Amino acid sequence: MAVIHLNGLVKEFPGHVVAVDHLDLTIQEGEFVSLLGPSGCGKTTTLRMLAGLEDPTSGEILVDETILSSREKGVFVAPEKRNMGLVFQSYALWPHMTVWENIAFGLEMHHVPRAEQKERIASVMSMLQIAGLEKRYSFQLSGGQQQRVALARMMAMTPEVLLLDEPLSNLDARLRLEMRAELKRIHEKLAKTTVFVTHDQLEAMTLSTKIAVMKDGRLQQYGTPMEIYREPANLFVAQFVGSPPINVITPDAAVLFHSVPANGSVSTYGLRPEALRFGDGDWTMEARVDAILPTGPEWIVQVNVDSFPLFARTDREPGFGAGDTCRVAADFEAFHRFDNSGLRIA
Amino acid sequence: MPVDRTPTLRSGLARGLVRLRHDPTAIIAAVLVVVLTYLVLGPVLSMLASGVRVQFRDAARLGLEPGHLTVAYIQRVFQSRISSVLFWRPLVRTLVVSISVLVGSVLIGFVLAWILVRTDFPGRKTLSRVMVIPYIAPAWTFALAWLTLFKNRRIAGSLGIAEGLGFSLPNWFSYGAVPIVITLTFSLFPLAFLLFGGALQSVDAQLEESARVVGASRTAILRRIVLPLLLPALMSSGLLILARTIGSFGTPYLLGSPVNYTVLGTSLYGTIQRGEAGPAGVLTAVIILLGVLAVSVDVYFVREARRFVTVTGKGGSQTPSRLGPLVVPAGMFVYGVILVSLVLPLAALVLSTITRAPGVFRRENFTLIYWIGRSIPQFPGQPGLFRNPDVIRAAWNSLRIVTLAAIISGTLGTFIGYVSVRYSTSRVALYLRQLSFMPYLVPTIGFGAAYLTLFAVRRGPIPSLYGTIWLIVLAMGINYLPFAARTGTAAMMQLGREPEEAAMVCGASWWKRITRIVIPILKKTLVTGVILPFISGMKELVLVIFLATPGLELLTTQVLRYIDYGYTQLANAVVVVIVVIIAVLTMVLQKITGTGLTSGLRGG
């Protein structure tokens, strides 16, 4: 069992820089949780505190009933005693060691007998499909292979919890997709609690069972990918998740703003590009077409209503060109409503 | 894997101890802070303090208790009967020499860089490497070579080769400003050459191409695009050369003293030698101030230069301009510089060690007696170099002292880098980096003197070091710290924290992490960090001039002794040996790092 609790976790760096600000999070056994947010939001710091590489300023980290870090209670469990595996963004493969030596190092530190070392290394290498690379050095490996070795090095230690710090960000687009599938496969096979740090919302959406969206050290929303996408808790989450980004309609876009029925004190509307149709609906507007961007399977259309730009996304080829006028429409329930502090209005 | 998550320690102190055992970076940082404060700040402050406190020997004259605050020394330096001799005239001369050297080296360096980087001059790669050699040799080698060639009858010892050939040379040509400027220029121009060369290489070819596309002529491109981009390099090299010449000592000492041409460095030497600690402190402060000024202006321009850092695309691959018939004057310039800065001085030195009388090219005048002779009739009691017990002892002293100093420097530098990276945001790291840079600003001659006064007597836990190798070892180790710390910090920054943290997560203890991960990865850089101070140490003269005592001579101070006795051939033979040692080590360094030469050059 490994249920992780973060209770009121705070990390302050010298110079009163608060990287993580009262973070509460519970990660259930076997979940794949992504910490998602822009750079500087405290997601990596949170991961490093979990790993024991940073000491929280206040608050607690628990696994099941055991406290790992708590300054108040004077407890700090050393990184190697936490039984957590960590993969770094840079992979941090030791350049002076071969692939085999890289994987064996941790086992050696834990005095695992030679024969068992051999067995475990062989098994993780075959699971990650890097058998045959034992004698290579990291500079002789491709980016994807380095990534697999870093994962193998972590997995050979049979950690209870896997911590991954933006492991895919250094890969090219094709490899990234391949490794994403690989990570999902491994998680489904081993069913180990995994915490994954990323700034890529697509990665978080496709891999996670749950996403924790962070900004400025604070948790914005914690939920399943679909909850995050369909019911963003606030304007930040709505804007951060989704590509092309959600259309944000403020009172300055008077024609648009006032044509949507309000309930309560709405100060901003959000409309996902795929909710904007061409034709008629509850809500219909005259628009001019500014640009059409075909991506292959679909078309992203930039239209302009009363000189306010909106993005639409459609899988049917538009029957008009740039400069034409058209009608755009949406259903009233497709609009997300936010109050003046950016919070979602149900 | 068995899970052992039992947190047994409850008190804050015990918890702290667990963390420290697990990661003793804090202990290392604390030790470094204490050691550096004591060994860097201590000598500097004591030197400066002596400028405003009554010295024991002046107490009666000034009618004040020793240690009392006083402005007497400041007055003595700036406004007294002797202040023109002590300060103002040396200051003016220092500025004249520095600015002349600056203009000369920048011109030579720029033209050379242009020819060897931007044109199709034949053999430019090899020539670029050759151009750096003058900088590797000790600066005062050129002064010695000048004396070997052009010394006249004014001072003792054998004559210069020119006089031996029958020329009669005036004093102004043999000694003083003219030879000081010329020899310093030819030893410092490689600095300008390297900075300009680097800048020229990094000017993105696309910047020029886009100017050409919009119709700019070649001269317009040069004037409006390339030269403005080179401005930071010009400033930077100029200020580095300025900082070098302001504090220079060896060359003005050898070439200026015969005609009492005193610059700030030699004036400071004079005050220290006469035991005037007060004025010495004031002069040190002035030289530090000038150095700080030059460095801050440099820092400012380097920061400004960031504006010029362009998005680098596929740039850098410029097509070299074709020289055409201009290859003849260009060739004359390039080979002329090599001749004057390299061939002539070295040839003169070597030639003098194998001839009895200078400038006489008859077979019976040539001899190997100065190298291998059992005894030299002219120099009573002195056998040839390889049989000479004084030289052999000096070589042994140089070897062990410089080795120890280089290890101290390299180790401290590495640990400073380690703490900087692990504590990147903390004030401790900043303090350590600033302290480790400080010796760069202090005139070396003053630094050596400060060590002498501070550690010649017992201080706290440190016994009197006078007359032991440890005084020189410490002074040298600390004096080269700026470069060692820079090498160490750069290496650690490049390595980053992650490889070590990865080992931490795997359960490796601190000792295991250092010995199995950090050191093996940084092996090459660490070797560089030791060899660079070693090279500097082998050619060090200024720092050790007060610290080397009879019986504890180094190769460099042995050269000075021989010059004083007029044993020119022996002095030059020792210099040749030093140059050979340095050249060999530099080649080893280049083998190891590939780029060791240029990266270590700003330090030297």
Side-chain angles (χ1 to χ4, degrees):
Chain A
M1 279 297 284
V3 180
I4 302 170
H5 300 277
L6 308 183
N7 296 338
L9 205 59
V10 175
K11 179 68 191 180
E12 195 179 321
F13 286 110
H16 303 287
V17 181
V18 181
V20 176
D21 194 359
H22 293 92
L23 181 66
D24 294 303
L25 207 63
T26 299
I27 298 169
Q28 297 298 337
E29 165 80 35
E31 268 188 319
F32 192 117
V33 171
S34 289
L35 303 179
L36 174 68
S39 58
C41 73
K43 53 192 192 296
T44 294
T45 307
T46 306
L47 195 78
R48 289 172 59 83
M49 285 194 282
L50 262 171
L53 294 174
E54 302 279 356
D55 197 1
T57 310
S58 66
E60 290 181 343
I61 300 174
L62 291 94
V63 169
D64 301 330
E65 305 300 303
T66 318
I67 302 174
L68 294 188
S69 294
S70 165
R71 198 165 278 193
E72 288 84 353
K73 295 189 180 139
V75 181
F76 179 83
V77 176
E80 70 271 16
K81 297 217 173 120
R82 297 187 175 206
N83 209 14
M84 293 183 176
L86 174 61
V87 172
F88 292 86
Q89 184 174 6
S90 67
Y91 317 142
L93 295 182
W94 300 304
H96 62 302
M97 293 184 188
T98 61
V99 167
W100 181 278
E101 287 164 346
N102 259 286
I103 303 174
F105 184 79
L107 299 172
E108 203 181 308
M109 293 296 120
H110 279 86
H111 308 291
V112 175
R114 286 257 160 211
E116 195 190 333
Q117 278 186 28
K118 238 175 150 173
E119 203 174 293
R120 275 160 74 167
I121 297 172
S123 106
V124 287
M125 287 187 74
S126 86
M127 178 169 86
L128 283 155
Q129 297 157 12
I130 46 172
L133 300 180
E134 289 82 357
K135 296 221 167 69
R136 300 264 192 102
Y137 287 92
S138 58
F139 62 87
Q140 295 167 315
L141 302 175
S142 69
Q145 287 170 331
Q146 289 183 25
Q147 172 71 80
R148 286 168 189 269
V149 174
L151 283 168
R153 183 173 73 181
M154 170 187 71
M155 242 107 79
M157 307 292 295
T158 56
E160 276 182 76
V161 178
L162 312 185
L163 307 175
L164 310 171
D165 185 5
E166 307 219 21
L168 307 183
S169 62
N170 288 331
L171 299 177
D172 64 44
R174 206 182 59 82
L175 262 179
R176 201 178 299 184
L177 193 67
E178 184 186 315
M179 285 312 295
R180 219 188 273 161
E182 184 78 19
L183 282 179
K184 194 141 194 169
R185 182 176 71 85
I186 291 168
H187 179 251
E188 271 158 15
K189 185 168 170 194
L190 303 177
K192 291 209 168 155
T193 310
T194 305
V195 183
F196 180 84
V197 161
T198 182
H199 64 267
D200 182 334
Q201 46 104 12
L202 192 63
E203 231 165 70
M205 292 291 291
T206 48
L207 285 173
S208 322
T209 54
K210 267 184 154 181
I211 298 177
V213 184
M214 293 177 72
K215 182 198 170 200
D216 300 335
R218 289 171 179 273
L219 183 65
Q220 305 294 311
Q221 189 174 1
Y222 185 42
T224 65
M226 276 308 151
E227 281 165 11
I228 300 272
Y229 190 76
R230 290 188 179 145
E231 291 155 40
N234 59 35
L235 197 54
F236 172 78
V237 175
Q239 284 181 287
F240 196 77
V241 178
S243 170
I246 195 165
N247 293 301
V248 175
I249 301 161
T250 52
D252 353 315
V255 176
L256 280 170
F257 190 83
H258 295 295
S259 57
V260 188
N263 54 345
S265 51
V266 179
S267 79
T268 315
Y269 289 101
L271 184 64
R272 294 266 178 217
E274 60 271 22
L276 196 65
R277 299 194 300 269
F278 296 102
D280 289 302
D282 303 348
W283 172 89
T284 310
M285 284 272 140
E286 275 293 307
R288 209 188 64 236
V289 180
D290 276 349
I292 298 177
L293 316 168
T295 64
E298 56 185 23
W299 288 260
I300 293 164
V301 184
Q302 191 186 23
V303 298
N304 172 331
V305 179
D306 194 30
S307 74
F308 190 87
L310 292 175
F311 277 105
R313 184 157 121 176
T314 169
D315 53 7
R316 243 178 285 156
E317 184 162 6
F320 43 74
D324 294 347
T325 42
C326 66
R327 294 179 71 75
V328 291
D331 299 328
F332 284 136
E333 67 262 29
F335 285 88
H336 299 273
R337 295 168 170 82
F338 302 99
D339 67 14
N340 58 5
S341 54
L343 289 179
R344 178 182 190 83
I345 299 169
Chain B
M1 194 128 308
V3 189
D4 170 25
R5 275 206 218 97
T6 35
T8 41
L9 294 151
R10 292 274 156 173
S11 82
L13 178 71
R15 181 165 172 271
L17 286 176
V18 168
R19 290 232 65 182
L20 279 183
R21 207 191 52 185
H22 179 71
D23 179 11
T25 315
I27 299 175
I28 296 171
V31 170
L32 279 178
V33 166
V34 172
V35 167
L36 288 196
T37 307
Y38 198 66
L39 292 181
V40 177
L41 211 54
V44 174
L45 289 183
S46 84
M47 188 79 189
L48 293 179
S50 60
V52 289
R53 288 189 181 279
V54 175
Q55 301 297 308
F56 188 72
R57 53 181 264 169
D58 304 318
R61 187 171 57 81
L62 295 170
L64 289 165
E65 288 285 301
H68 202 278
L69 280 180
T70 177
V71 291
Y73 300 123
I74 298 176
Q75 272 170 348
R76 189 171 164 80
V77 169
F78 294 116
Q79 37 170 221
S80 73
R81 280 179 298 110
I82 63 155
S83 60
S84 86
V85 180
L86 202 59
F87 177 68
W88 295 110
R89 204 179 302 151
L91 176 72
V92 171
R93 285 170 172 173
T94 303
L95 293 179
V96 167
V97 166
S98 302
I99 290 168
S100 315
V101 171
L102 166 74
V103 172
S105 352
V106 164
L107 279 179
I108 296 176
F110 178 73
V111 175
L112 270 182
W114 191 272
I115 296 174
L116 295 183
V117 173
R118 299 302 295 268
T119 70
D120 58 352
F121 192 78
R124 51 201 190 118
K125 281 238 170 68
T126 319
L127 287 170
S128 300
R129 263 183 228 140
V130 171
M131 285 305 169
V132 183
I133 300 175
Y135 189 79
I136 299 162
W140 45 271
T141 312
F142 298 90
L144 218 54
W146 187 275
L147 287 179
T148 305
L149 278 166
F150 302 122
K151 192 162 75 173
N152 67 14
R153 281 153 216 283
R154 189 183 170 97
I155 49 172
S158 56
L159 289 171
I161 292 173
E163 294 246 336
L165 288 169
F167 296 96
S168 177
L169 299 171
N171 276 340
W172 66 262
F173 186 77
S174 293
Y175 317 106
V178 172
I180 292 176
V181 168
I182 294 175
T183 51
L184 279 178
T185 302
F186 278 105
S187 81
L188 287 176
F189 82 87
L191 204 56
F193 166 71
L194 279 170
L195 285 173
F196 278 126
L200 276 174
Q201 250 160 5
S202 67
V203 169
D204 190 336
Q206 291 174 5
L207 296 177
E208 285 169 71
E209 282 159 7
S210 42
R212 200 164 300 155
V213 170
V214 297
S217 67
R218 274 187 177 264
T219 45
I221 292 172
L222 178 63
R223 209 164 43 81
R224 302 277 301 279
I225 310 285
V226 179
L227 288 184
L229 286 171
L230 291 182
L231 207 61
L234 172 74
M235 284 295 169
S236 208
S237 62
L239 288 161
L240 277 173
I241 290 167
L242 215 55
R244 273 305 170 81
T245 42
I246 285 172
S248 73
F249 168 77
T251 304
Y253 175 76
L254 288 172
L255 292 173
S257 322
V259 288
N260 288 325
Y261 190 87
T262 325
V263 296
L264 282 180
T266 41
S267 176
L268 175 59
Y269 174 76
T271 55
I272 295 170
Q273 209 181 27
R274 291 190 297 275
E276 300 172 16
V282 177
L283 282 175
T284 303
V286 172
I287 299 179
I288 292 180
L289 218 63
L290 289 174
V292 171
L293 205 69
V295 169
S296 356
V297 175
D298 183 36
V299 168
Y300 173 77
F301 277 105
V302 167
R303 192 177 305 151
E304 283 295 287
R306 294 247 167 82
R307 290 187 302 143
F308 293 127
V309 175
T310 43
V311 185
T312 41
K314 285 167 288 184
S317 57
Q318 306 116 334
T319 23
S321 357
R322 300 214 14 216
L323 275 171
L326 283 175
V327 75
V328 176
M332 281 166 66
F333 184 79
V334 171
Y335 288 102
V337 170
I338 292 180
L339 184 74
V340 175
S341 70
L342 202 63
V343 180
L344 225 48
L346 286 183
L349 287 177
V350 172
L351 185 66
S352 86
T353 66
I354 52 168
T355 50
R356 290 176 207 270
V360 180
F361 297 100
R362 277 195 307 269
R363 180 194 293 232
E364 67 271 20
N365 192 39
F366 285 95
T367 175
L368 283 177
I369 193 171
Y370 304 110
W371 288 93
I372 50 172
R374 283 190 191 283
S375 68
I376 302 167
Q378 297 155 272
F379 311 150
Q382 292 289 339
L385 188 90
F386 289 128
R387 296 176 188 273
N388 194 315
D390 292 346
V391 174
I392 290 165
R393 193 182 316 120
W396 165 237
N397 285 336
S398 275
L399 194 69
R400 58 189 178 139
I401 288 174
V402 174
T403 305
L404 287 169
I407 290 172
I408 288 183
S409 221
T411 312
L412 284 177
T414 307
F415 279 120
I416 290 168
Y418 184 74
V419 172
S420 289
V421 171
R422 294 294 306 273
Y423 287 175
S424 52
T425 50
S426 80
R427 288 200 192 92
V428 175
L430 187 69
Y431 177 73
L432 286 178
R433 278 204 296 271
Q434 283 171 342
L435 265 196
S436 63
F437 185 66
M438 198 178 252
Y440 186 78
L441 298 173
V442 180
T444 312
I445 184 99
F447 201 71
Y451 260 77
L452 185 63
T453 48
L454 202 60
F455 296 111
V457 293
R458 188 190 168 87
R459 297 266 172 194
I462 300 179
S464 164
L465 298 176
Y466 187 74
T468 71
I469 64 166
W470 294 104
L471 185 59
I472 312 180
V473 167
L474 273 186
M476 233 182 221
I478 298 298
N479 196 42
Y480 301 140
L481 197 55
F483 314 114
R486 191 151 55 181
T487 314
T489 311
M492 289 290 176
M493 289 281 179
Q494 208 182 8
L495 179 67
R497 290 190 290 188
E498 294 194 344
E500 199 198 333
E501 285 173 350
M504 201 188 273
V505 175
C506 282
S509 66
W510 183 78
W511 180 247
K512 283 257 163 62
R513 298 197 303 267
I514 293 294
T515 54
R516 300 269 316 260
I517 305 290
V518 178
I519 291 178
I521 296 178
L522 292 179
K523 208 165 40 191
K524 276 186 186 173
T525 333
L526 297 182
V527 171
T528 315
V530 173
I531 293 185
L532 271 179
F534 189 91
I535 292 175
S536 308
M538 282 311 285
K539 57 183 181 183
E540 183 65 66
L541 172 66
V542 187
L543 180 71
V544 295
I545 200 160
F546 291 119
L547 301 179
T549 48
L552 203 59
E553 299 283 3
L554 304 179
L555 280 177
T556 48
T557 55
Q558 191 66 40
V559 173
L560 277 198
R561 297 285 171 267
Y562 283 147
I563 292 171
D564 287 346
Y565 299 149
Y567 297 169
T568 310
Q569 287 91 337
L570 276 178
N572 289 353
V574 178
V575 170
V576 170
V577 168
I578 296 175
V579 170
V580 168
I581 293 175
I582 291 169
V584 169
L585 276 172
T586 310
M587 280 192 294
V588 170
L589 194 63
Q590 250 178 331
K591 261 262 150 57
I592 297 176
T593 60
T595 55
L597 248 182
T598 34
S599 67
L601 262 178
R602 287 183 78 154

